[in-house]
């Protein structure tokens, strides 16, 4: 099970939403390459005060407002070529049933109690804050973390005994040092837990928030947004159905932005511990994006619209750039010139060029894949490096570190292209066309030299297309179709040297030249 956070419907999708969903999509596609059955989920978080207020500002009934904004996220998923299995909405009946079931389980296990709560509340962040988390700026109290305004709230709330799970969370973290990625986020989470946990509110008075799920057995309260929202993962897994849960849970990867790591790596595991459910195997908190080294902001007018950039550059170009440049540790910078240069250099010139040069009709007449053999020491080294590259790429994907996975493939392709140029098969072919003075043995050796150069290059192109298919699925499919690779052999198990039967190369005799990827102007 691979999940994105569910996206809040108070505004339209932006680049960060596209990136989170893309990461989960690429992960899901990767594990399908590995032969695994996957459950990839995404969706929208549609309850809370911010949604109420946004609907009022838009002059729409809240339900209609949610429908309209949710559809923009579904459109983003379609435009991004994201093949999710479930788009969950927190206003759906099955999610409400899940929330009621998990609430009652937490009450039965004495993890929720009714108490008085006085704290600073941030409407924008939908979270309560302690005195240490707020500060006065220009005469107003704001959240230190987000800078958003806060107000002092005192009311009766149901509270979750988060403090009771501090030791269990520390034990979980220490036993699973890779459970939060990257390591800097793990250290951040562990430090927060180590410094002490306080019980948290999991309800608001119904008179304060009407657009929410009522607390089971107490209609005067609404389920607080984070318990509601986080439970979407259980909804998608089939909770409380035991058979469905056994099939789908625990989640293998929760992909989230770094700003919500506390809720996913502290609150959520504590909820699961209290409910007696298995904890997620990995929580991946990625960094954010700037635009031309400036933070995205509505006031600056530099918020990147996913649909606009896909219209301008094409879906595979955008997918490639975001995964190539969006590292986990530091904020990525969205720059159109860098996108064009990166994509043209690496997809068109490095991968695309290798596909074309290794399948040129002069070297592979009739599109017949050459018979390789009697490899030189240089050939053997390239073959060994090819298989090692596949193993390294797999490790990067499963961490996940998409940038390193892509680099692993591209850097190897640089070596293969360099080998092709150094071997100069066109010179050898010219010699074979005028073989005067060449012995039969010399002719056979030169023919084998060309065959080996072509086959090793083709194999590098085939394997690279398989490895990059989670990133650039349409482009990779086009290359594999061109090489005539059987559908059943487009798997990780076949992504090693000489593990596929393919060919003849399609379009080898066609007048129109095959273009693996058209360069961006």
């Amino acid at each position: 099970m691979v999940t994105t956070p569910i996206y809040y419907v108070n505004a339209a999708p932006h680049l960060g939403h596209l990136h989170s969903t893309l990461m989960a999509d690429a992960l899901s596609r990767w594990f399908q390459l590995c032969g695994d059955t996957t459950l990839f989920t995404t969706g929208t978080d549609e309850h809370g005060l911010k949604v109420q207020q946004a609907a009022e500002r838009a002059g729409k009934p809240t339900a209609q407002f949610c429908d309209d904004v949710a559809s923009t996220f579904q459109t983003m998923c379609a435009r991004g070529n994201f093949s999710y299995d479930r788009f969950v909405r927190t206003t759906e009946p099955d999610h409400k049933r899940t929330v009621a079931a998990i609430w009652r389980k937490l009450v039965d296990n004495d993890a929720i109690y009714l108490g008085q709560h006085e704290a600073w509340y941030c409407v924008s962040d939908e979270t309560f804050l302690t005195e240490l988390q707020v500060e006065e700026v220009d005469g107003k109290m704001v959240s230190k973390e987000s800078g958003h305004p806060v107000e002092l709230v005192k009311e009766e709330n149901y509270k979750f005994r988060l403090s009771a799970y501090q030791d269990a969370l520390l034990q979980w973290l220490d036993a699973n040092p890779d459970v939060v990625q990257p390591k800097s986020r793990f250290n951040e989470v562990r430090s927060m837990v180590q410094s002490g946990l306080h019980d948290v509110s999991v309800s608001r008075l119904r008179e304060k928030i009407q657009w929410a799920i009522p607390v089971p057995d107490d209609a005067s309260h609404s389920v607080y947004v984070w318990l509601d929202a986080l439970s979407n993962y259980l909804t998608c897994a089939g909770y409380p159905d035991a058979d469905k849960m056994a099939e789908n849970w625990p989640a293998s990867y929760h992909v989230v932005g770094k700003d919500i790591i506390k809720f996913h790596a502290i609150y959520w595991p504590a909820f699961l511990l209290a409910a007696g459910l298995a904890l997620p195997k990995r929580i991946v908190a990625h960094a954010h994006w700037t635009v031309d080294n400036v933070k995205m902001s509505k006031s600056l007018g530099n918020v990147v619209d996913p649909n606009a950039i896909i219209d301008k550059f094409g879906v595979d170009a955008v997918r490639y750039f975001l995964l190539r440049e969006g590292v986990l540790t530091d904020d990525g910078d969205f720059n159109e010139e860098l996108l064009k240069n990166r994509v043209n250099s690496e997809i068109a010139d490095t991968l695309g060029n290798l596909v074309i040069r290794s399948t040129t009709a002069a070297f592979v007449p009739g599109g017949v894949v050459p018979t390789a053999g009697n490899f030189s020491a240089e050939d053997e080294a390239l073959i060994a490096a090819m298989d090692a590259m596949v193993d390294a790429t797999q490790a990067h994907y499963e961490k996940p570190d998409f940038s390193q996975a892509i680099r692993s493939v591209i850097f190897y392709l640089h070596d293969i292209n360099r080998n092709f140029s150094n071997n100069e098969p066109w010179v050898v072919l010219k010699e074979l066309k005028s073989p005067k003075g060449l012995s039969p043995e010399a002719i056979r050796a030169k023919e084998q030299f060309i065959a080996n150069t072509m086959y090793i290059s083709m194999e590098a192109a085939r394997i690279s297309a398989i490895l990059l298919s989670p990133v650039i699925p349409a482009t990779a499919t086009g290359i594999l179709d061109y090489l005539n690779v059987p559908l059943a052999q487009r798997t990780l198990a076949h992504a090693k040297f000489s593990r596929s039967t393919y060919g003849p190369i399609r379009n080898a005799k066609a007048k129109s030249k095959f273009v693996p990827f058209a360069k961006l102007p």
Side-chain angles (χ1 to χ4, degrees):
M1 184 177 183
V2 179
T3 75
T4 75
I6 53 173
Y7 305 122
Y8 212 47
V9 295
N10 64 320
H14 57 64
L15 188 65
H17 301 124
L18 185 70
H19 184 214
S20 291
T21 317
L22 172 57
M23 288 180 64
D25 179 74
L27 262 178
S28 179
R29 289 177 183 271
W30 171 260
F31 284 107
Q32 289 170 25
L33 278 185
C34 298
D36 295 328
T37 299
T38 61
L39 175 62
F40 164 29
T41 73
T42 187
T44 44
D45 178 5
E46 302 183 14
H47 289 135
L49 188 57
K50 278 196 295 184
V51 176
Q52 263 182 230
Q53 294 172 342
E56 290 169 4
R57 288 193 299 269
K60 294 181 180 180
T62 311
Q64 181 189 335
F65 176 81
C66 290
D67 289 344
D68 292 346
V69 180
S71 70
T72 67
F73 282 93
Q74 291 168 325
T75 298
M76 178 196 74
C77 289
R79 297 298 311 282
N81 194 13
F82 302 145
S83 54
Y84 58 79
D85 298 291
R86 171 72 190 269
F87 190 99
V88 63
R89 298 179 57 186
T90 56
T91 49
E92 293 173 337
D94 65 337
H95 177 70
K96 294 177 181 179
R97 287 193 294 270
T98 294
V99 171
I102 195 69
W103 181 279
R104 289 191 172 105
K105 173 62 73 172
L106 295 176
V107 170
D108 289 345
N109 291 350
D110 194 31
I112 288 178
Y113 63 94
L114 187 62
Q116 289 291 325
H117 189 72
E118 181 176 4
W120 295 100
Y121 182 71
C122 180
V123 173
S124 297
D125 301 334
E126 295 275 16
T127 189
F128 285 100
L129 302 169
T130 67
E131 291 287 346
L132 297 177
Q133 294 173 302
V134 300
E135 61 184 351
E136 186 174 348
V137 176
D138 297 331
K140 295 181 179 180
M141 299 303 292
V142 300
S143 164
K144 287 183 179 179
E145 184 176 352
S146 68
H148 294 145
V150 298
E151 59 186 27
L152 190 62
V153 172
K154 182 177 182 180
E155 64 183 42
E156 182 184 71
N157 285 168
Y158 283 96
K159 305 184 80 172
F160 174 77
R161 300 185 193 278
L162 183 63
S163 59
Y165 296 93
Q166 179 173 337
D167 290 344
L169 288 171
L170 283 174
Q171 291 171 11
W172 170 62
L173 291 167
D174 290 344
N176 300 277
D178 296 325
V179 71
V180 177
Q181 291 292 330
K183 189 65 176 179
S184 58
R185 304 279 178 246
F186 174 91
N187 293 336
E188 176 186 338
V189 167
R190 196 189 184 288
S191 177
M192 283 191 284
V193 177
Q194 179 69 50
S195 65
L197 298 177
H198 303 283
D199 294 355
V200 296
S201 290
V202 286
S203 80
R204 296 292 309 277
L205 288 171
R206 193 76 180 163
E207 65 190 47
K208 303 282 187 178
I209 301 178
Q210 293 81 40
W211 188 250
I213 298 173
V215 165
D217 311 313
D218 187 348
S220 65
H221 286 260
S222 295
V223 177
Y224 182 54
V225 64
W226 279 105
L227 179 56
D228 171 7
L230 291 165
S231 297
N232 91 86
Y233 305 127
L234 295 178
T235 302
C236 294
Y239 187 85
D241 186 293
D243 292 336
K244 291 180 179 178
M245 286 291 288
E247 181 180 349
N248 298 319
W249 196 259
S252 297
Y253 292 86
H254 286 318
V255 176
V256 302
K258 65 179 183 180
D259 56 320
I260 53 175
I261 185 63
K262 174 178 69 175
F263 303 103
H264 282 82
I266 298 178
Y267 290 13
W268 180 230
F271 292 157
L272 294 171
L273 285 168
L277 297 172
L279 274 56
K281 296 178 182 178
R282 189 154 295 189
I283 301 164
V284 184
H286 62 78
H288 292 166
W289 286 89
T290 57
V291 179
D292 296 327
N293 292 310
V294 177
K295 184 178 180 180
M296 279 194 293
S297 164
K298 288 182 181 179
S299 61
L300 294 176
N302 67 344
V303 176
V304 177
D305 177 2
N307 294 326
I309 59 171
I310 291 172
D311 285 340
K312 186 170 185 177
F313 299 109
V315 63
D316 271 10
V318 171
R319 289 175 65 107
Y320 186 85
F321 179 77
L322 293 183
L323 291 179
R324 175 70 166 80
E325 298 298 317
V327 299
L328 295 180
T329 50
D330 302 310
D331 288 352
D333 185 56
F334 185 84
N335 177 285
E336 292 193 357
E337 280 303 310
L338 178 59
L339 183 153
K340 288 191 289 187
N341 292 338
R342 182 71 74 195
V343 167
N344 286 341
S345 171
E346 297 184 352
I347 303 182
D349 291 343
T350 300
L351 174 58
N353 184 50
L354 181 66
V355 173
I356 296 303
R357 73 196 312 197
S358 66
T359 59
T360 301
F363 298 123
V364 285
V368 177
V369 176
T371 302
N374 194 24
F375 295 114
S376 66
E378 291 80 5
D379 292 339
E380 295 284 4
L382 280 173
I383 293 167
M386 190 183 303
D387 288 348
M389 177 272 291
V390 174
D391 293 338
T393 302
Q394 179 177 5
H396 292 315
Y397 265 117
E398 294 177 10
K399 188 173 183 178
D401 188 331
F402 297 105
S403 182
Q404 286 298 330
I406 293 170
R407 292 182 193 192
S408 175
V409 175
I410 296 299
F411 290 172
Y412 180 75
L413 289 177
H414 288 325
D415 292 339
I416 289 290
N417 274 307
R418 191 178 304 112
N419 178 73
F420 193 100
S421 298
N422 291 341
N423 283 357
E424 298 183 319
W426 55 90
V427 173
V428 180
L429 184 63
K430 187 175 181 180
E431 292 173 354
L432 288 172
K433 290 181 178 179
S434 302
K436 291 182 180 180
L438 293 177
S439 66
E441 292 78 11
I443 291 173
R444 285 194 294 272
K446 290 180 181 294
E447 290 174 340
Q448 190 66 68
F449 177 83
I450 292 177
N452 289 353
T453 299
M454 293 301 117
Y455 185 66
I456 290 172
S457 299
M458 277 187 202
E459 281 290 86
R462 176 187 69 83
I463 290 169
S464 295
I466 291 174
L467 295 177
L468 291 176
S469 62
V471 180
I472 46 174
T475 300
T477 296
I479 292 171
L480 295 171
D481 286 348
Y482 173 69
L483 295 175
N484 215 356
V485 177
L487 291 176
Q489 295 181 10
R490 301 180 186 189
T491 71
L492 182 62
H494 293 89
K496 287 289 180 74
F497 184 75
S498 201
R499 286 195 188 173
S500 176
T501 57
Y502 59 98
I505 309 304
R506 295 179 179 176
N507 299 332
K509 296 181 179 180
K511 293 182 180 179
S512 59
K513 185 179 179 182
F514 172 65
V515 179
F517 184 88
K519 294 185 74 168
L520 300 175

